[in-house]
Amino acid sequence: QVQLVESGGGLVQAGGSLRLSCAASGRTFSSYGMGWFRQAPGKERELVTAIRWSTGRTYYEHSVKDRFTISRDNVKKTVYLQMNNLKPEDTAVYYCASTRDSSWYGEYDYWGQGTQVTVSS
């Protein structure tokens, strides 16, 4: 059984930083890439950033570019999201997810439980 376990969320003041981690486990885990999504209250879930396991190629949604950095450790099967210069509008539940699709916006078939990020003004 595949599991994605996130950690690292919390409360931070605007301008602060947080680092999220997402560890994948399971003998059947097979993935082309990983994504970080977020969902704020009353809003739809959105893809924030994604990375390919093999090449390290990345995608960033425009509002987080230059503030967020996604990285991966292929040996540990872990993906990280470094979030700097956080803004109140970054407040959301953040989810990591795994995809076997070559498209950034393709189907993500495994999801973590989510971790709350709250940015106070």
Side-chain angles (χ1 to χ4, degrees), residues 64-112:
V64 305
K65 217 169 185 179
D66 300 326
R67 298 189 298 122
F68 289 13
T69 303
I70 189 171
S71 60
R72 89 283 191 220
D73 184 325
N74 291 42
V75 173
K76 294 182 179 179
K77 290 193 289 186
T78 299
V79 175
Y80 305 96
L81 178 60
Q82 178 66 44
M83 304 185 292
N84 298 328
N85 190 22
L86 282 159
K87 304 176 180 180
E89 51 264 41
D90 294 318
T91 295
V93 178
Y94 284 70
Y95 300 89
C96 68
S98 170
T99 182
R100 286 173 286 185
D101 200 306
S102 59
S103 169
W104 298 122
Y105 285 92
E107 181 181 355
Y108 285 77
D109 40 18
Y110 295 108
W111 292 81

Side-chain angles (χ1 to χ4, degrees), residues 28-41:
T28 60
F29 180 68
S30 174
S31 172
Y32 187 75
M34 300 290 290
W36 283 99
F37 292 76
R38 66 186 179 188
Q39 187 165 22

